Amino acid sequence: MVHGHDALDYITLNTRTVKGGLGIARRENLEAYLFLLPWIIGFLVLTIGPILASLGLSFTDWQVGLGMNFIGLENFRLMVVEDDLFKKSLGVTFNYSLMALPAGIVVALAMALLLNQKVFGIGVFRTIYYLPAVTSGVAVAMLWAWIFNSEFGLLNWALDLINVKGPAWLLEPRWALPAFAVMSLWGAGGLMIIYLASLQAIPQNLYEAAQIDGANVARQFLHVTLPMLTPTILFNLVVGIIAVFQTFTNAYIMTAGGPNFATYFYVLHLYNNAFGYARMGYASALAWVLFVIVLVMTLAVLRTSQYWVFYSGEKE
Amino acid sequence: MTDRLSRRTFLRVGGGLTVLGTLAACAMPTAGPAADAEAEQVSVTFYTNDVGWREERYKRIIPDFEAEFPHITVDYTHYTTNWEASLTTWAAGGTMPNVFYSRTQKTSARARLGWILPLTGYIDADPDKDLLLDDFWPIQVPQLQYENDWYLIPENISSITMRYQVEALEAAGFSAPDEPWSYYEEWPNVVKELTIRDGDETTQWGFDAGWMFQYSGFAWIWLPAGIVDTDTNTCIIDQPENVKSLNQLQDMRFRDRLIPQSGDIPEGVNMFASGRLAMNMAGVWEITSTRDQVGDMAWDIALIPQNPLNPGENLSINYGAGYAMGAETKHPDAAWDLIRYLSLPSMQQVFIVEDNWALPGRRSVAKDWLDGVLSTGSGMPAHAEHWITALETGRSVPVTAAEKEIEDVYPNLIAPILVTGESRAEEALPHIQAEIQKVLDKYV
Amino acid sequence: MSLQAPADKPQGWTFTYKTRRAVLQLAVLLVGSAVFLTPLGWMVLTSLKPTEQIFLFPPEFIPKPVEWDNYAEAWSQGEFWTYTQNSTLVAALNIAGNIFGSSLPAFAFARLRFTGRRVLFLIMLSTMMVPIWVTIVPTFLLFKFFGWNGTLLPLIVPGFFAVPFYTFLLRQYFLGISHELEDAARMDGANSLTIYFRIVMPLARPALATVAIFAFVYHWNDLITPLIYLTDEKLFTVALGLSRFRNSYRMEMSHMMAAATFALVPVLIIYFFTQRLFIQGIVLSGSKG
């Protein structure tokens, strides 16, 4: 947890230092905790219990309906030594996150920049680009199964126009994962509107000042837009890591992890153990391994953030 | 309530074994009808999760049941999706539905975990016991039981046959077969003759098994020697007969190109209904949907070939569904009354015969079902009785508690042979056998 | 739309650099729209097709005849009017709850200095990292202990306490708000609550709109929570009602697509109107400068 402190220092550095004596600090402490109450109550009453329960379960052999025995670290040993699918699914998830996460962050930013213009009908465009992010469930899965079909699908039809012969996306192990990444880009509208909100908050006078200095569009982007967006990029990166490692729904509906385990995501393995085989103890152990992995990666990102994240509140 | 407290403690501390044992003991149905059952008004929760239209039927018949059993109120809800996650959560929380619709593939797993209660006591005490048991399909009985106890009262059962376009078969020089085609000679030949090519393009495919290649339960159709043995502890998939059969399928698909590869099929296009596919597999539940989709095209069904290892046995398999009683049911007698009522022949008229959907779980209703299908007139297969024959001569597939876990790995395991065609069966089967055995070992 | 009318209109026949740029932007936006809309268009078209036509080969794109009945049938499959009311209630309360429940702690994390801030923030972040699938069962037991099973409370109450995702989102946004106004207000004796209500919240309108949209979409589409906690059909949500079109044996594809389209419409309307708040945001933050 020492690392946690350090890492967080880097993103909280900007908060102004308290001037004045102990009294003011104490008052601010009290105020802060009053503001925090909604989170503290929810955390203590609704959140922490179930989370600790799952941590406890990870040391048991509990199968829902059968007895529960404390088995120490046995679940973790099984994972590493016997469960081939644990390694397989972890690999799939890492590969996928390397494809989907950077692409998502960049594409969503590009979309947001495009939609942050004063063009006629921009409200309609914003709605169109965001819509895919809100369609969910089986209908979307079926849509994409159709789009990815090798002979009759829309994607290969489009590729054919530029004389590229597309593969059988969801049926060839090496293309299935990239296909999922493409699909996730279609839903990048969620990240996009987070960027959009931040873009809207950049004061116009910064651009005006840059223009007076003779900065062209590219320089304005590099010296005004991008620095002002870094807190949002950090947010999207951290939230993206957490989310991408929990990828589940489309694989569950569309491929059930196939072909040949090419889309067998970690959380699919976890879900199958929890609800397919009622093996709740083992599923909890899987969850806590994932927790540690994601936590370490998040801390690593937070740690680097001091070098590239800029908060406008800092320049007083 | 001590009940609540104890379950929370059980989660926190992990001393659940005793608690669960106690709870289970409390929830065990007392044998024979309880004396005070009639005096007191009781409520029974009842959940179903099958096709949407059945919900209306349940809402139609539940008032009849309540009229007949005035002391019972039925609390009915219909679900269709994420049923497993809900059931698991309810099982953990002690709020399982008292009566629910349960597939026969799940009986062993649910009984093993104690999510459903044995019904043997009620069946034994039933005045019409012999009539009841005689009326079940013998092929389905193993899927209704677990370790010699009854757990499921059947409502429906399904078998599988080939379906073909009548004109295509006649054009290829065949007529509706009187006997099942032989597995290694006649059947591949029929498929070959049914395949029509225009240069490189296949304008009519001879056969497609679609998803039935890949689901372990259905995969038995292509595995004459089976997947697991009858005691369900040992994987026996790696046998010469299975090698021969899988290699034949692979050759038909990749060498002879008689069976479309996955990319040859447009998503959302029904190849059979659009006339691009001369023959494929049809489960009995698809009868009306096929009729609705094919339009004016004449179609019929034929039996799947017999098992080359056992000429008296058809390679068709069966699955179905029925009604089970959830653990911790407070009023098991009332729950049994509902289960019993739902399994009556008159109910199977409502849920099966009216819609020509699946086959009734009782043999005595089968004739009504067949009459219903044939009297529906145009668009129905002339040889619909084959579906019943397939039940009478088909193989009884053992269902293990590991069913779901095998189901999850099987499509990936079989893919090298049947989906990508990169391995011959003799190379892949030893590995597949070892993998399935690993799963089975977890359940011993 | 008047707010976003193009700033630069072509002057005579001379296309300025800005005008050309606007035309280029419009072209890119249109191409992108085509990419994003095509799958949805197929969904809508399929929803209007008669069953026979769905399975035609080669596929036909235009429904013939147009089957509006698919919508009528989808609607009549359940008590959709009741479901819509329930979903609206759940979504509306969650929007309100999420905005206040998350912005208050976010304000503390972003603008106040207090002991344990870093640790508490990290703890909050890490609660997002436990996959929900392993907390579903313990949460169910907890809510059962509260006596919430079979009611809408499990769908509503948690929304009034901070949602880590939104708290983090708002915190990042609050951090970007300049301190000048706040310092001036504090000089005048304003306390933190005043700062929160008078300065930070109004300036954060785009971010709050984002939270509102996310909250609406999440609760409108959420299937797993209603599925586990609701057993009375009178309390069902739209997502739960729609899930009935899915089954393994008989796929009524046109109905399913009709249902999916139907679920999309309220989201579309809400989003179309909320995104205007972004524009108001620009005015505010532009003027504060």
Side-chain angles (χ1 to χ4, degrees), chain A residues 84-95:
Chain A
D84 295 340
L85 290 180
F86 162 74
K87 280 155 259 174
K88 187 104 198 166
S89 61
L90 200 55
V92 166
T93 307
F94 264 106
N95 282 339

Side-chain angles (χ1 to χ4, degrees), chain B residues 85-260:
Chain B
S86 306
L87 267 189
T88 309
T89 310
W90 295 329
T95 57
M96 284 285 278
N98 301 149
V99 177
F100 68 100
Y101 183 88
S102 182
R103 293 202 183 287
T104 56
Q105 295 99 304
K106 303 287 182 188
T107 309
S108 296
R110 287 175 184 160
R112 171 177 169 271
L113 295 171
W115 293 6
I116 52 180
L117 300 175
L119 303 172
T120 316
Y122 287 105
I123 291 177
D124 286 342
D126 198 283
D128 296 327
K129 180 192 176 190
D130 293 339
L131 219 68
L132 195 68
L133 298 189
D134 273 357
D135 215 6
F136 298 162
W137 297 91
I139 198 176
Q140 195 177 33
V141 168
Q143 299 178 9
L144 309 173
Q145 298 182 332
Y146 176 71
E147 292 187 344
N148 301 320
D149 263 318
W150 291 89
Y151 281 90
L152 202 67
I153 302 298
E155 192 226 50
N156 59 65
I157 183 167
S158 288
S159 60
I160 292 161
T161 60
M162 305 287 186
R163 66 176 171 188
Y164 59 85
Q165 301 177 24
V166 174
E167 273 179 33
L169 196 76
E170 283 168 0
F174 301 99
S175 51
D178 297 324
E179 294 293 314
W181 292 305
S182 68
Y183 191 69
Y184 293 118
E185 296 81 26
E186 288 168 346
W187 175 67
N189 188 47
V190 171
V191 173
K192 183 161 166 275
E193 297 298 324
L194 283 173
T195 306
I196 300 174
R197 287 207 176 82
D198 180 9
D200 258 358
E201 198 198 348
T202 306
T203 53
Q204 178 178 292
W205 294 94
F207 181 70
D208 183 26
W211 53 270
M212 287 191 198
F213 274 138
Q214 294 193 41
Y215 280 72
S216 62
F218 291 87
W220 281 74
I221 295 169
W222 314 104
L223 298 164
I227 299 177
V228 295
D229 68 350
T230 43
D231 68 10
T232 68
N233 292 328
T234 316
C235 181
I236 50 162
I237 198 170
D238 184 18
Q239 291 193 59
E241 203 64 32
N242 287 347
V243 170
K244 193 175 166 192
S245 167
L246 289 173
N247 281 342
Q248 165 169 300
L249 275 178
Q250 190 190 63
D251 290 342
M252 289 170 77
R253 195 174 210 190
F254 295 94
R255 189 190 65 195
D256 307 332
R257 297 204 38 85
L258 308 176
I259 300 174

Side-chain angles (χ1 to χ4, degrees), chain B residues 413-429:
Chain B
L413 294 172
I414 202 71
I417 306 177
L418 294 180
V419 181
T420 62
E422 69 204 63
S423 300
R424 290 300 274 177
E426 57 271 25
E427 299 157 10
L429 278 181

Side-chain angles (χ1 to χ4, degrees), chain A residues 236-252:
Chain A
N236 279 344
L237 195 57
V238 169
V239 171
I241 288 171
I242 295 172
V244 82
F245 275 83
Q246 297 191 32
T247 306
F248 169 72
T249 310
N250 286 324
Y252 174 67

